[in-house]
Amino acid sequence: MNLLQQLKKIVSRYSGETAPLVFRAKVFFFIVCVSLLAVSSWQAWKAREEHINDSETNIVNMARALAQHGDDTFKAADIILSGVVERLEADGVDDVQKPRLHKLLQKRVSEVSQLAGVFILDADGNPVVDSSDTPFSGNISDRNYFQYHRDHKDRGPYIGPLIKNPAGAWRLTVSRRFDYPDGRFRGVVLAAIDIDYFRNFYSTFKIGDNGLIILGLNDGTLLVRRPFFDKYVGYNLSKVPIFRDYVTKNHHGTHTAPSTVDGKDRINAYRHFNQFPLFVAIALSKEEVLDSWVEDTLHHTAAILLLIVILALLGNWLLRQIKLRLETEAELRVARDNLDQLNRHLQNLALEDGLTGLANRRHFDIALSQEFARALRNKDSVALIMLDVDWFKQYNDIYGHRAGDDCLRRIAALLRQVPQRTGDLVARYGGEELVVLLPQTTLESAALIAERIRADIVALDILHAASPLTIVTVSAGVAMIEPSQESGKSGEPEELVEEADRALYVAKARGRNCVARHDDVKIDSAFP
């Protein structure tokens, strides 16, 4: 049952009448309300997608800005180191140069806020000069950056590792090698960048209560995290899905996935630095991103629902006015509907056999004429199977006419399953004769169908003492015709019936319980 029929039943149940005008009015109000909800839902969903897309664009831009900021931060430190290296390799590090170098390093540290200190180390890892008022002491030849420069002739900057000074402050090192004129390793120039510089800078961005900003080395070492927790500094991110599956494989990108911490969806954006082996990643809580959208959607939905309620009240008032005008027509409509129903019933009775429920002779004649005309137009064929219950008169004489009627009804029930296509028709032709009309069917196919019907009736195993086979059987005649406008025969539909009837007599002459085709008439000598 479709939607309009269901709505019509609802209208009938509550209003007690099925006036088309009332029904259409209710359908109209229903469609208006559904349309408002649909449009509102579509707009809300579109706004949600745009909200998420805007957030993704914002964090992509933020990641680009933070990566550029990081590049600039380390580049500023590296420029200072490059200048110091050039001076050291040109002027050396003797006692005369040390005071001047100390002042130079202090000046550079004061000029660049992210620097916590600059240090010059000799080839053995001992401090030579640094920027602090209290000179650093102690050998650092066991440090990773020192060993790297000692063992590699690479003159470029080296980032790392992360260290913690005695005061508990985290520092990230940027270092360069400087050499003797002959290329031998002479020492290391080191700049210490205060991690708090990044932490304070990242705290200026609005990323929500559950947002996250991460600065890390490309090997997965976490340097800075907002919100900041000391325990996370130096944490290895190699097993975190966003780092493992995306950051390590792409220079930049976005990804939305559940958080490994709380399982809530987060929108992630990441970007590697262009000049240094670091990356920055930003994560926004999808729930927080959509908070404003949810609030706007709730307000909008409330307004829509209020509008729908107003429309429903106005519509209900209007419908009551319409129903008052239609009450005087209600009885007439009921009478008209009853008359229409009675006419349809009479029409069905006129085309239906009362005993078997099959189409009657009149219905068959109409269908035969229609299918013949259609076959003539389409240059197609029409086949007909004519069936006759064998020794049926004797069956009635032995078992009575009531039993004979039951027998015909059982055979009719079996035949009713034969039509499978539009145009196929089973009818009671008269008495114990039944016909099956098969448009667009060849003679061979019709004969096969007739044989199947004959076998199925045998399988019914209806007792018939007067039959040589002791059960009820049928004989069948099959005919097929291909109408042609060139034939000039006006009685061709009747000719099909006559051919099937002749074939039926051939089947009876052969001993009954068999199928004969109309082309058997010409070759069967048993036919008189």
Side-chain angles (χ1 to χ4, degrees), residues 58 83 90 114 124 127 134 178 196 269 506 523 525:
N58 290 337
Q114 63 264 34
D124 296 321
T134 303
F178 68 99
D196 281 346
V506 171
I523 61 174
S525 59

Side-chain angles (χ1 to χ4, degrees), residues 9 14 17 39 44 47 50 57 62 83 125 137 143 156 161 229 271 285 299 354 406 418 449 513 521-522:
K9 281 199 168 186
Y14 285 97
E17 50 83 33
V39 171
E50 291 177 352
T57 301
M62 189 186 301
S137 62
R143 298 287 175 89
F229 295 100
R271 191 176 190 89
S285 168
H299 292 160
D406 289 340
V418 173
I449 294 173
N513 189 30
V521 175
K522 299 177 182 179

Side-chain angles (χ1 to χ4, degrees), residues 171-287:
R171 304 284 188 261
L172 181 63
T173 59
V174 182
S175 55
R176 276 183 177 268
R177 164 183 173 143
F178 68 99
D179 297 333
Y180 287 104
D182 60 2
R184 288 181 298 114
F185 176 64
R186 190 173 184 179
V188 173
V189 179
L190 173 73
I193 296 179
D194 190 353
I195 291 299
D196 281 346
Y197 170 78
F198 290 100
R199 186 175 65 180
N200 294 334
F201 180 68
Y202 293 164
S203 66
T204 62
F205 290 89
K206 294 182 179 180
I207 57 173
D209 296 335
N210 295 312
L212 188 70
I213 299 178
I214 286 177
L215 174 66
L217 295 173
N218 285 349
D219 64 4
T221 302
L222 191 150
L223 304 177
V224 181
R225 180 186 187 275
R226 177 194 168 188
F228 182 81
F229 295 100
D230 194 73
K231 64 179 181 180
Y232 286 119
V233 178
Y235 180 79
N236 192 306
L237 301 170
S238 59
K239 294 183 179 181
V240 177
I242 182 68
F243 178 82
R244 181 190 64 216
D245 300 333
Y246 296 93
V247 176
T248 58
K249 298 178 180 179
N250 304 290
H251 180 265
H252 63 274
T254 59
H255 178 63
T256 300
S259 169
T260 56
V261 177
D262 56 15
K264 295 182 179 180
D265 282 348
R266 278 182 167 77
I267 304 171
N268 302 279
Y270 56 89
R271 191 176 190 89
H272 288 273
F273 288 15
N274 291 324
Q275 303 180 57
F276 299 94
L278 294 99
F279 74 94
V280 64
I282 305 167
L284 298 181
S285 168
K286 194 172 183 179
E287 182 178 348

